[in-house]
Amino acid sequence: MPPNSRTLGADIRALRKARGITLQALADTLGRSVGWVSQVERDLSQPSVDDLRRIARAFDVPMSILFGQSNAPAEEAGVIVRKGARRPIGSGEAGLIEELLSPDLTDDFEMVHSTFAPRSSIGETVTRPTQEVAYIISGRLDVVIDGRRFSVGPGDSFRIRGEPHRWENPYDEPAVAIWVIAPPVY
């Protein structure tokens, strides 16, 4: 396993760097010392559950993304993600179920398996400092990217480059998509 992958500390470091947050800024937000944050990132210190809640809040991610680093056999850790071992990400609100396909958050991108429930919608427009490409596996999805509305289905893909966007599935069947997002946002 590569030294910087598949650990809680590596994931925290990756989230911090992806958001351009310094060790000092994170330490200030958490009410902890820079040394403590550094030790957590190097897996020399274990954060408490309360610390994990504060860390998740600081990065605006669900706490679930900070768990599940060791559910793969040692020879697969950091390389293989089995279907039944995907980490849930996102809030699950608005009818969207997301699972991390990437082994961890230490790459320059992340891959996400997204299932959009029938008759679901994000409701609000989202703008993120990312580049994203989505590929529709099944179902249909309506997306609005920078004010332009599109309907996409199986085999279609689309790109978002930091533009405001939103989605809805006004149809009677779930839509399933694979997303590649850079930098990682979860």
Side-chain angles (χ1 to χ4, degrees), residues 5-75:
S5 69
R6 205 65 179 151
T7 70
L8 174 62
D11 282 351
I12 291 171
R13 181 183 313 107
L15 285 166
R16 180 179 61 76
K17 288 186 173 191
R19 284 160 172 74
I21 298 172
T22 65
L23 276 170
Q24 182 66 60
L26 182 57
D28 291 347
T29 299
L30 300 175
R32 294 293 207 145
S33 70
V34 169
W36 181 85
V37 174
S38 176
Q39 286 184 345
V40 168
E41 286 188 357
R42 292 179 291 138
D43 296 307
L44 300 175
S45 182
Q46 280 298 113
S48 70
V49 172
D50 285 340
D51 290 325
L52 289 174
R53 278 190 194 101
R54 285 193 289 276
I55 290 167
R57 220 172 311 145
F59 294 132
D60 192 29
V61 297
M63 212 165 117
S64 63
I65 196 66
L66 300 176
F67 295 103
Q69 285 78 19
S70 61
N71 34 347
E75 66 276 4

Side-chain angles (χ1 to χ4, degrees), residues 60-137:
D60 192 29
V61 297
M63 212 165 117
S64 63
I65 196 66
L66 300 176
F67 295 103
Q69 285 78 19
S70 61
N71 34 347
E75 66 276 4
E76 293 182 357
V79 180
I80 304 294
V81 178
R82 300 288 178 186
K83 182 179 180 180
R86 295 178 192 156
R87 283 197 272 176
I89 56 176
S91 66
E93 295 175 20
L96 174 59
I97 304 296
E98 297 173 291
E99 298 172 310
L100 188 64
L101 296 175
S102 304
D104 53 44
L105 301 174
T106 60
D107 293 314
D108 294 332
F109 63 91
E110 64 190 354
M111 284 188 64
V112 177
H113 182 275
S114 301
T115 303
F116 303 83
R119 306 283 175 205
S120 62
S121 171
I122 193 170
E124 61 190 44
T125 299
V126 176
T127 304
R128 301 190 287 213
T130 58
Q131 290 190 33
E132 306 179 33
V133 175
Y135 173 77
I136 306 299
I137 295 173

